[in-house]
Amino acid sequence: MQFNPDAFNRFLGGSGNIGQQYQWYSSDACPCADRHSGMGKPGCPLCFGRGRQFAAPVTGVAALSGQSSQREWAQFGVYEQGDVVMTIPENTPIYEIGQYDRMTALNATNHFSQVLVSGSGAERLYFATQAITRVFWLTLDGTAVVEGGIPVVAADGSLSWPAGGQPPPGAQYTISGTKFMDYFCFGNFPSNRNMQQGLRLPRKVVLRDFDLFNR
């Protein structure tokens, strides 16, 4: 039997087939990371305590694998709720993905709502935001809700309010909206099918919710 990489690419591609659009962020260990645990230094201005530095995103195509592949991964005993198994064609930049790299699904979104502290120096969203829909906080006596303005989210996740409506310094506030599904590459799926006899066949990798990164 002769494998055909072009046939795999057409099937897994994004032109009306099963492929979807993703942004891939390759990563490198941050010099601040602990040599034994890999944990980043809290407050590091480069990795923000993640222990990895992520490059600028590159857009590519990949496809979610069948449910049977996910059951197979679960049998290894290291499965976490929300893990997905992904198959990557060889004609996309994402083919070079490595462990701990980040992947953002551009075709899937989810609601988020979290609490931050204004002026804390740690006001940052650590995921790819689609839209901010609401910002609010309580009055000093805790009896009423104050609606704030919608912030601008910078590329590094930091927040600013150029149109006004920023929470007062020290206020604990809620920020809600929608975010793109965000993952990191937990590792290569146990298989050596790619590079078979010199052919660049599809790769299979396991992605884990980015909220669990370095935990």
Side-chain angles (χ1 to χ4, degrees):
M1 179 175 67
Q2 178 65 47
F3 289 111
N4 188 332
D6 290 336
F8 281 122
N9 293 339
R10 288 192 298 271
F11 177 67
L12 298 171
S15 302
N17 295 313
I18 68 171
Q20 299 184 45
Q21 294 289 320
Y22 290 84
Q23 284 188 328
W24 163 52
Y25 303 75
S26 64
S27 71
D28 293 297
C30 185
C32 81
D34 184 275
R35 293 185 296 114
H36 304 289
S37 68
M39 294 293 294
K41 183 179 180 180
C44 175
L46 299 178
C47 72
F48 312 111
R50 297 282 184 174
R52 307 286 297 189
Q53 293 184 29
F54 295 94
V58 176
T59 302
V61 174
L64 295 181
S65 297
Q67 186 62 37
S68 60
S69 296
Q70 299 199 38
R71 285 199 299 269
E72 182 180 349
W73 168 247
Q75 290 173 0
F76 280 89
V78 290
Y79 176 83
E80 290 279 358
Q81 188 69 30
D83 283 358
V84 296
V85 179
M86 173 171 289
T87 301
I88 306 173
E90 64 86 24
N91 64 343
T92 178
I94 301 175
Y95 193 77
E96 307 302 329
I97 190 172
Q99 192 173 29
Y100 305 128
D101 288 1
R102 179 180 174 183
M103 285 276 281
T104 300
L106 300 181
N107 301 119
T109 59
N110 195 16
H111 177 74
F112 77 90
S113 185
Q114 67 181 73
V115 176
L116 300 175
V117 177
S118 180
S120 65
E123 289 176 275
R124 192 179 304 275
L125 299 178
Y126 294 99
F127 43 77
T129 305
Q130 183 194 43
I132 305 297
T133 56
R134 188 186 184 196
V135 173
F136 65 98
W137 59 92
L138 300 178
T139 56
L140 290 177
D141 60 8
T143 61
V145 170
V146 180
E147 297 290 338
I150 301 301
V152 173
V153 184
D156 64 356
S158 58
L159 305 173
S160 62
W161 278 263
Q166 182 175 0
Q172 188 167 287
Y173 65 95
T174 296
I175 181 168
S176 303
T178 53
K179 64 177 182 177
F180 294 104
M181 299 294 288
D182 227 0
Y183 304 94
F184 71 95
C185 182
F186 184 74
N188 291 330
F189 196 83
S191 170
N192 66 347
R193 70 178 185 179
N194 55 300
M195 305 296 183
Q196 196 269 345
Q197 296 295 323
L199 297 177
R200 283 167 54 95
L201 301 180
R203 294 183 62 191
K204 191 178 286 186
V205 297
V206 174
L207 301 183
R208 180 158 290 178
D209 191 327
F210 195 71
D211 286 342
L212 299 175
F213 187 80
N214 229 343
R215 293 186 183 177

